[in-house]
Amino acid sequence: MWDSTLSRGGYVGVDVFFVISGFLITQDIANRIEAGKFSIIEFYIRRVRRIFPALFVTLIFTSVFAYFILYPEELVRYGKSLAGAALSISNIVFYRRDNYFGANSAEEPLLHTWSLGVEEQFYIFWPILLFIASRFLGRKGVIASLILVAGASLYWSQAVLATNPSFSYFMLPTRAWELALGGILGLAGKGRLELGKLTATAIFLIGSLLLGYAFFNYSELTPFPGFSALIPVVGTSLILYAGQFGNPCSGILAGGLMTFIGRLSYPLYLVHWPIIVFWGLASPVEPGIVVITGQLLLMLLSSYAIVTLVEPSIRRRSATLANLRFWVPFAAFSITLVLTCSFFLIKTHGFPARHDMPEWIVQSKQEVQIFQGHPCMVRGDLLPQSGVCTIGDPDSSPTLVLWGDSHAAQLIPAFRALVEAEGYSGMILTKAGCPPIPDVEMLPSNEMRSACRQFNTNVLERLHEIPSLRAVIVAGKWSSYVSGKGLLKEDGAKESFDNSLQLLSRRLTESAELVRGLGGTPVVATVAPVGSGTTYNCYVRSTYLGKDSSLCGAGAFSENREDNEMFKTLLPDETLASRLDLISVLCQQDEGCDLFDGEYGLIDNVHISETSAMKLVPELKRLVGQQ
């Protein structure tokens, strides 16, 4: 996506938003409490008045586009995220579904609403906490209490980052400290300090440098939020603090242009991501400068329309108890309308009758369900226990072993065919998200990778127990590590792309030597031709909607080829380890890889189909038979 190209750390904009929101709203609540004019009910009415008009208009228009652009399975997913947005629980929906940087994130039109969910959940409890604390503790006591809340939340955010990064990213308990810190700053105000223009400007610039560092140096590999979020959060806090004093920089931010942009900021936040996503889904071609400019103009025009046409017609009524009879029905109607739409999208399974469903799509969906639930692709650190993971005589020792992550599991049909055809006995040792790279830390960390080190250790121990090992076939999602989207790291070593490549090469050589020492032949399956990460969905969407699918494959596999060539430079010499080059076998074209020529070659965005896997059997026979 073009926004991540300009700034890979652009996601810290959410942290900026959290701090500013906490600063402004906490300050407003505290002032009303001190003036004796605070009402919990009126606070919630103000939230409805501020959030609902633009949000629900955006959701309605987004749903119309979703109906015409998404295929049924995507439409069901959209329906669930639509309900989450209406109920302010999008963060929970996306936490349970995927991670923010997952392969499908660029295809989720409402992904951005997760941050609105966190904010609204925060403000359910925050005004009540401030009101009670103010009654009994005074302003200083309130600040002290909020510091404890913020500290506990920050600690929790860092504590679960390694084992459950999606929870740390999406959920309120691990994000509350950012809003709370803004609130603490709002309550503290200027304090007793009176800063001169020069000092205030210096603080402002330091805060800007911290923000700039996060925007341009953070990436999806940065462990985030946790302590890493302190840099953008502190940077934003310094800018807000300096802005309370007169300085040239804050004067620029208070100018007419910035004020106008500020008015558009909320609707711009709402419309920007659906425009980017739907544009990308409708046209899989990488956007150029003209397209990006068109997207920006559409975002600005849409935001301006919401500010000038939608909001004034609804927000002309004040957020007071006197208008409660308007705001409660308005909120109830808005939520009910969107939830009804969500209900029908889910209940009808995405309105599949809109178009004829090609048989290959049905078959691939059935195949991927079987694949995802395969008993030989475990999730924990224990080796597969199912009997189906042992091929041949269960009482005899295996001679062939398949080891790796889901990119090894996708080869199970070919592995089984090889074992049965040649009379070998085989064992399948695969774990989702866990490439066959022993004794390393894998970044970015996630739940699936948390047990990888122990699983791979268990595999090595099992290999030592095999008396007559003939071959070990290893496969992994290597493209993550040769492209820099993932990193490998030894304990205590510096985290870098070059170190990661060297470590990958060293571990592959060590594993090959180990297998050779045990009397077997190591066979390394190289990078799989799966496209750009959205290629399968593009083929499904285009075919279902009756559109030209040729653009889906145009250039989609070139990155796979580049990754494959890079990966092969890291492999041990072919006298030590044989190579199963998937791209050479499955892709006959120089640039493309026509895996959808009369059949489906993929079952999702990152795995080949059983049909594709079976084409590898002759080459596997040759490689294993070379011993």
Side-chain angles (χ1 to χ4, degrees):
M1 306 307 289
W2 61 264
D3 58 330
S4 62
T5 302
L6 296 175
S7 170
R8 295 181 70 189
Y11 56 85
V12 303
V14 171
D15 305 83
V16 175
F17 162 72
F18 283 158
V19 176
I20 294 174
S21 175
F23 176 83
L24 295 174
I25 294 180
T26 302
Q27 203 170 59
D28 178 68
I29 293 172
N31 291 338
R32 290 175 185 270
I33 290 175
E34 289 184 354
K37 297 180 180 180
F38 180 72
S39 165
I40 291 286
I41 295 177
E42 286 190 352
F43 173 81
Y44 294 136
I45 293 175
R46 285 196 299 275
R47 295 305 298 164
V48 169
R49 182 176 180 268
R50 171 65 177 136
I51 299 297
F52 276 36
L55 172 63
F56 282 93
V57 166
T58 302
L59 293 180
I60 290 170
F61 275 93
T62 302
S63 299
V64 172
F65 281 99
Y67 180 86
F68 288 104
I69 293 178
L70 303 182
Y71 67 83
E73 184 179 328
E74 290 178 320
L75 201 55
V76 172
R77 286 168 62 92
Y78 172 81
K80 294 176 181 179
S81 63
L82 181 66
L87 297 173
S88 295
I89 57 171
S90 284
N91 58 319
I92 300 173
V93 172
F94 288 112
Y95 160 65
R96 297 180 63 181
R97 177 179 299 176
D98 207 343
N99 69 80
Y100 185 80
F101 302 105
N104 291 326
S105 63
E107 300 179 334
E108 296 282 5
L110 299 179
L111 176 64
H112 63 312
T113 60
W114 76 266
S115 57
L116 193 61
V118 170
E119 187 194 27
E120 293 313 297
Q121 292 161 28
F122 180 80
Y123 290 124
I124 291 175
F125 308 103
W126 195 243
I128 299 173
L129 174 64
L130 289 176
F131 182 76
I132 295 174
S134 297
R135 293 287 297 270
F136 297 101
L137 301 175
R139 179 166 282 224
K140 290 184 178 179
V142 170
I143 293 175
S145 301
L146 300 187
I147 290 174
L148 291 176
V149 171
S153 173
L154 173 58
Y155 173 80
W156 194 350
S157 178
Q158 179 64 31
V160 301
L161 191 56
T163 57
N164 199 347
S166 292
F167 184 94
S168 184
Y169 194 94
F170 283 114
M171 300 302 282
L172 173 63
T174 50
R175 286 289 193 165
W177 69 274
E178 301 180 34
L179 290 136
L181 188 59
I184 292 167
L185 187 64
L187 290 174
K190 293 182 179 180
R192 296 182 179 180
L193 294 176
E194 280 299 331
L195 301 182
K197 288 186 178 181
L198 186 60
T199 304
T201 301
I203 293 175
F204 183 97
L205 292 175
I206 291 172
S208 299
L209 287 173
L210 290 174
L211 265 184
Y213 176 84
F215 269 101
F216 294 105
N217 287 278
Y218 282 12
S219 72
E220 62 270 20
L221 295 177
T222 304
F224 199 87
F227 292 154
S228 296
L230 281 168
I231 289 181
V233 167
V234 171
T236 305
S237 300
L238 291 176
I239 292 172
L240 288 175
Y241 183 73
Q244 298 177 100
F245 305 90
N247 69 81
C249 296
S250 60
I252 294 173
L253 293 181
L257 177 61
M258 298 305 293
T259 301
F260 174 73
I261 294 176
R263 283 187 63 204
L264 296 182
S265 61
Y266 175 56
L268 190 60
Y269 152 81
L270 290 175
V271 304
H272 88 284
W273 189 246
I275 288 174
I276 292 173
V277 170
F278 284 132
W279 200 306
L281 296 182
S283 175
V285 178
E286 190 71 22
I289 187 64
V290 175
V291 171
I292 292 174
T293 302
Q295 290 176 344
L296 286 170
L297 288 174
L298 183 58
M299 293 173 197
L300 290 172
L301 288 174
S302 301
S303 304
Y304 185 75
I306 291 175
V307 167
T308 56
L309 300 177
V310 176
E311 292 184 336
S313 62
I314 299 175
R315 294 175 61 183
R316 66 175 182 266
R317 292 175 175 81
S318 61
T320 60
L321 290 174
N323 286 319
L324 189 64
R325 291 184 177 180
F326 170 79
W327 289 111
V328 170
F330 169 75
F333 174 77
S334 300
I335 293 173
T336 302
L337 177 64
V338 171
L339 288 182
T340 301
C341 176
S342 170
F343 173 80
F344 281 106
L345 292 177
I346 298 170
K347 195 69 175 177
T348 61
H349 304 289
F351 292 102
R354 288 175 292 160
H355 303 277
D356 292 333
M357 182 68 71
E359 183 61 27
W360 74 263
I361 296 179
V362 177
Q363 293 173 353
S364 69
K365 295 301 178 183
Q366 293 172 344
E367 186 176 330
V368 77
Q369 288 182 349
I370 296 171
F371 174 77
Q372 291 173 346
H374 202 291
C376 300
M377 189 166 61
V378 298
R379 265 60 178 177
D381 59 8
L382 297 178
L383 299 182
Q385 303 298 312
S386 173
V388 300
C389 305
T390 300
I391 308 170
D393 185 355
D395 297 324
S396 65
S397 179
T399 54
L400 299 186
V401 174
L402 177 64
W403 172 26
D405 57 17
S406 62
H407 277 231
Q410 70 187 351
L411 305 180
I412 290 176
F415 180 75
R416 183 177 295 277
L418 168 68
V419 171
E420 292 175 347
E422 300 299 313
Y424 301 127
S425 57
M427 174 177 287
I428 301 168
L429 303 175
T430 59
K431 169 176 163 50
C434 188
I437 312 170
D439 197 27
V440 295
E441 179 183 354
M442 300 172 186
L443 301 174
S445 59
N446 60 38
E447 294 86 337
M448 288 194 298
R449 290 176 179 160
S450 61
C452 277
R453 182 171 294 194
Q454 185 58 54
F455 176 82
N456 283 326
T457 298
N458 292 341
V459 170
L460 295 179
E461 292 176 354
R462 182 68 183 90
L463 292 180
H464 278 91
E465 297 171 357
I466 299 175
S468 54
L469 187 65
R470 182 179 182 88
V472 177
I473 302 166
V474 298
K477 192 181 178 184
W478 311 119
S479 56
S480 295
Y481 302 101
V482 298
S483 67
K485 296 174 183 176
L487 292 180
L488 303 175
K489 178 177 172 291
E490 286 183 296
D491 293 338
K494 182 180 179 181
E495 177 186 315
S496 75
F497 178 55
D498 288 340
N499 287 348
S500 176
L501 290 180
Q502 293 173 14
L503 181 58
L504 173 58
S505 180
R506 191 164 67 250
R507 287 290 187 268
L508 287 170
T509 299
E510 292 168 354
S511 295
E513 291 172 344
L514 183 146
V515 172
R516 284 289 184 187
L518 294 174
T521 299
V523 178
V524 182
T526 61
V527 173
V530 294
S532 63
T534 58
T535 301
Y536 169 82
N537 279 356
C538 182
Y539 272 104
V540 171
R541 190 181 308 110
S542 299
T543 306
Y544 172 73
L545 297 175
K547 296 182 178 181
D548 181 13
S549 62
S550 62
L551 290 176
C552 297
F557 297 93
S558 59
E559 186 175 325
N560 298 154
R561 290 182 179 276
E562 293 172 5
D563 291 344
N564 196 45
E565 293 306 311
M566 168 67 81
F567 177 66
K568 287 192 289 188
T569 66
L570 305 175
L571 289 176
D573 186 88
E574 291 190 71
T575 59
L576 179 61
S578 300
R579 303 176 183 183
L580 175 63
D581 194 329
L582 274 65
I583 290 180
S584 294
V585 176
L586 299 177
C587 305
Q588 303 303 319
Q589 301 175 18
D590 291 337
E591 293 297 329
C593 188
D594 196 357
L595 297 183
F596 289 87
D597 184 15
E599 57 190 22
Y600 60 95
L602 304 176
I603 55 172
D604 59 19
N605 286 319
V606 289
H607 299 103
I608 64 173
S609 66
E610 180 175 344
T611 301
S612 294
M614 292 301 291
K615 294 177 180 180
L616 302 170
V617 174
E619 181 65 7
L620 271 174
K621 287 182 179 180
R622 185 184 71 81
L623 293 172
V624 172
Q626 285 180 346
Q627 185 185 28

